[in-house]
Amino acid sequence: QVQLVESGGGLVQPGGSLRLSCEASESIAWIHFMGWWRQAPGKQREFVASAANGGLTDVADSVKGRFTISRDHTKNIMYLQMNSPMPEDTAVYYCNTVPPSPNWGQGTQVTVSS
């Protein structure tokens, strides 16, 4: 089973930008769908975005127009480009296959604050 490791989180100001990475232990070209989820304190994990190996993408309404998901099959990395983040985007961000496997990684913390 492919292992996924998230990175790139940190503190970002509202209106700034941040790029998260999800590095895979093996080729992701054969994985039909991969995605990002997030979990804010006291809330349930929620879907953020997904990307198919053919290029089709989907993003949650809450981040549409601000976040972009992409996959680089040459590097076996999936990205989440976060533009104009808002304080309500503060959460731990996770990547996984779609549908998600039960083995979630540690995630990467994103804090949006001035």
Side-chain angles (χ1 to χ4, degrees), residues 70-91:
S70 63
R71 296 169 53 161
D72 186 335
H73 293 170
T74 64
K75 298 180 179 179
N76 296 324
I77 299 177
M78 179 176 65
Y79 300 103
L80 184 69
Q81 179 67 44
M82 305 173 61
N83 294 331
S84 300
M86 300 184 293
E88 48 265 47
D89 295 320
T90 294

Side-chain angles (χ1 to χ4, degrees), residues 29-65:
W30 61 272
I31 302 176
H32 290 162
F33 289 96
M34 299 178 68
W36 287 95
W37 286 258
R38 66 186 182 186
Q39 187 167 19
K43 296 187 177 180
Q44 290 190 337
R45 186 176 290 143
E46 64 175 2
F47 168 79
V48 176
S50 65
N53 56 359
L56 185 69
T57 63
D58 185 30
V59 294
D61 288 343
S62 59
V63 304
K64 193 163 292 184

Side-chain angles (χ1 to χ4, degrees), residues 17 23-25 36 50 54 58 67 77 87-88 92 94 96 98:
S17 65
E23 187 168 358
S25 59
W36 287 95
S50 65
D58 185 30
F67 291 8
I77 299 177
E88 48 265 47
V92 178
Y94 302 88
N96 207 327
V98 178

Side-chain angles (χ1 to χ4, degrees), residues 5-9 19-23 36 77-80 95 108:
V5 178
E6 305 92 345
S7 64
R19 189 176 75 167
L20 306 184
S21 298
C22 172
E23 187 168 358
W36 287 95
I77 299 177
M78 179 176 65
Y79 300 103
L80 184 69
C95 63
T108 186

